[in-house]
Amino acid sequence: MPNSEKYDKILDALQELLDRRSIQSISVSDIAKQAGIGKGSIYYYFPSKDAILDALVTRNYEKPIQIAKNLARQTDVSPFTRMAMLFQACRNSSAEFLRLGSASPEEPIYSRASSANPHERAYFHQKYISHLIAELKPVLTEIIQQGIQNGEIHFDYPAALAEIVLIILSVKIDNTLVPSSPENIEETIRGLICLLEKGTENPPGSLNFLTAF
């Protein structure tokens, strides 16, 4: 059975290295040295450096995403309220992502070194977006399907709707891929809510409360 302490030590080592160096310059040997373990031990836990990075992304964003999943499964709450909870999870995850160059001990994998490199920032951003959508899409799809079954939502493609919503939210709220003003972001979110109202056959303005989350 894998040693969880050693597993976390490997992730901690990569995090520490990212505080000083770019991801491209870091090798598996560097990670092993920083972790104080043999290089062969790394491959017992991870097949590649990319796999270590993916695990680090997962760990860094685990808390807000798990909170969203737990809240979203409260089936006694209306589907739209639970969708709003997922909106908040996107904001929380984005806040984690955007804490660049911070001296905080909770600093994310973006460090002073990586944030100075726009190519590295874009690379991490892709990792973040992929992880966020992959984790939240099944949850949001389930919520939409429950709303359809209850007659509160009228839409034929719940998984597609979930993906569209998450792509828009993760890109606009994160605000690094296509930088926008606060006014533009708010306008886009309100446009998304308008489309949700029309697509799910809810009256105009009925879902405006989603912007409060």
Side-chain angles (χ1 to χ4, degrees), residues 98-158:
L98 289 172
R99 276 191 290 114
L100 305 178
S102 147
S104 164
E106 293 85 19
E107 185 176 30
I109 56 176
Y110 286 88
S111 63
R112 289 175 289 279
S114 64
S115 63
N117 184 334
H119 298 293
E120 185 133 308
R121 184 183 174 94
Y123 175 72
F124 281 122
H125 182 271
Q126 185 272 329
K127 293 279 189 184
Y128 156 77
I129 292 291
S130 297
H131 179 66
L132 183 68
I133 293 174
E135 289 295 312
L136 294 186
K137 180 181 174 182
V139 181
L140 184 53
T141 299
E142 182 180 352
I143 291 172
I144 294 170
Q145 288 173 332
Q146 289 170 355
I148 292 171
Q149 292 168 0
N150 295 337
E152 299 170 84
I153 296 176
H154 304 276
F155 202 80
D156 293 331
Y157 308 100

Side-chain angles (χ1 to χ4, degrees), residues 3-13 45-46 59:
N3 184 319
S4 60
E5 183 178 349
K6 189 172 288 188
Y7 179 94
D8 284 331
K9 188 177 288 187
I10 294 168
L11 299 186
D12 291 341
Y45 293 92
F46 301 100
R59 188 177 74 172

